[in-house]
Each structure stands twice: as structure tokens, then as C-alpha cells.
Amino acid sequence: MTTWTRDETPQDIFRFLREGDEGRHQAARVTADGAAWLASATAHREAALTRWESRPTSPATLPCGTAFDVVNVDPVFGRRMLDRLWAEGPGSGPVAVHRGRMMLFAAPGTAQRLPALLDWEEWGEAVPRPLCHGLGDAVTVPPLVPSDAAGPRWLVAPDTRSPWLPGPEVVLWACVRAVRAASAADVRVSIFPPADPDANVYDVSRRR
């Protein structure tokens, strides 16, 4: 029985990754090292790898709190967070979408700490409250090999055995930046002063 305990990649699982598929973005491709990292979240790593080997197009349920936590956000707000993380910050860890939500994989402990930081933050009330999954929770992760069926999918797939994961302070920073960017976009600047509510207004459209 073949498992992913060695460095070589199982032929049947990752054939899709090696045979071109030029239309897919590289960031959305899980590697063998990324799969090994995901499997490290469970106490039954070998069993998880064996199950994925037999069903690489099926999603899996993994526990949070050891290898990663997950911050589950509205997709529009999540996209704004990613824009800030990629354009101005340190980047992101793996990111997936599932059931109309965006899941940002974060450092263990983030799920417990982030809500308290949002409560203390000046802009915290403007942040759409995320669902934080940590120790004792489990999440559905996308399949290693994407299928045509609707379901969870990777936006940024894990590709190393030790991916960088944002901690609670970094996630808070991204939340605040996303809110500020949205707030600034709503500001409309006018060259005219505000109207005087007591001023007389005349209809001049018919004057010659």
C-alpha cells in the first residue's frame, strides 16, 4: 500500500499537476508537500494520506488547532483582505472557498485571539464578524485534485510542508485595512459647498 511518507509523488494523484493543465493558476495547485502538511493536522496522518490517494477528487474534513486555524469570512470582504495582504502586507497562507465563504488558514491560536483583538480595535465594529475555527473545531478542505463538481476549491493551495500562516495580529491588520479601503471608496469629494437649506431656489430652466 502506497502512502506519501517519502519524497516521491504518487503517480495517480498528481498526474494532473504534472501534465500541463495550462489553464489553471499555479497558486491553486496542491503539491505533495502541501498534502503532507494538511495530513499533519490529524493524528491519523497515514490513514488520511491513504484515503486521499484512493479518492483525490473528494473533499476532506480536518481538525483545526494543531497545524492551522481557519478564519471564515464573507467572500467580498475576504477578497479585500487578500488584496491588502498581497499588495501591502506579508502575504497569505492557504486560502479556500466553500459554500459561499472564504476560508483563510491562519496560525494555531488565531481563532481564540482574533475576536478579542477585534473587540479592542477602534475599527472593530465595522468589520463583518468572521467565524473563527480553532481547537475542537473541524473544517472541510478542498480536494487535492479539483473536479468538475461544485464544492470547495483552493484559491491559494498549500505547496510546502511548513507554509507561512498569518497570526491574529496580521489578520486583524488585514481586516482593518480592508474596512478603511472600503470606507475611503465610499467618500465622494465635491467641488461645490453644501447647499444652504434656507436659500431661495428659483427655476431658471424657462428663462430666455
Side-chain angles (χ1 to χ4, degrees), residues 4 7 11 56 68 87 94 96 101 108 121 123 128 133 144 179 183 190 193 199:
W4 301 348
D7 291 336
Q11 181 76 19
F68 55 78
R101 303 280 294 182
E121 169 59 41
W123 289 76
H133 307 289
L144 302 185
V179 168
S183 177
S190 174

Side-chain angles (χ1 to χ4, degrees), residues 144-156:
L144 302 185
V145 177
S147 63
D148 294 332
R153 61 186 178 88
W154 292 108
L155 293 181
V156 181

Side-chain angles (χ1 to χ4, degrees), residues 49-163:
L49 293 173
T50 301
R51 182 171 61 252
W52 273 332
E53 187 176 4
S54 62
R55 294 186 299 173
T57 59
S58 296
T61 301
L62 296 178
C64 301
T66 54
F68 55 78
D69 280 1
V70 169
V71 179
N72 187 324
V73 297
D74 171 84
V76 175
F77 187 73
R79 176 61 68 180
R80 292 171 180 165
M81 290 177 63
L82 287 182
D83 286 344
R84 303 278 73 78
L85 285 168
W86 291 338
E88 305 172 20
S92 74
V95 181
V97 291
H98 183 40
R99 293 181 177 176
R101 303 280 294 182
M102 183 177 290
M103 304 193 306
L104 288 78
F105 286 69
T110 300
Q112 180 180 8
R113 181 67 177 144
L114 181 60
L117 292 177
L118 286 171
D119 288 341
W120 280 95
E121 169 59 41
E122 176 185 359
W123 289 76
E125 292 185 358
V127 175
R129 279 291 167 164
L131 302 175
C132 297
H133 307 289
L135 191 63
D137 300 324
V139 295
T140 299
V141 300
L144 302 185
V145 177
S147 63
D148 294 332
R153 61 186 178 88
W154 292 108
L155 293 181
V156 181
D159 58 359
T160 72
R161 291 177 182 264
S162 300

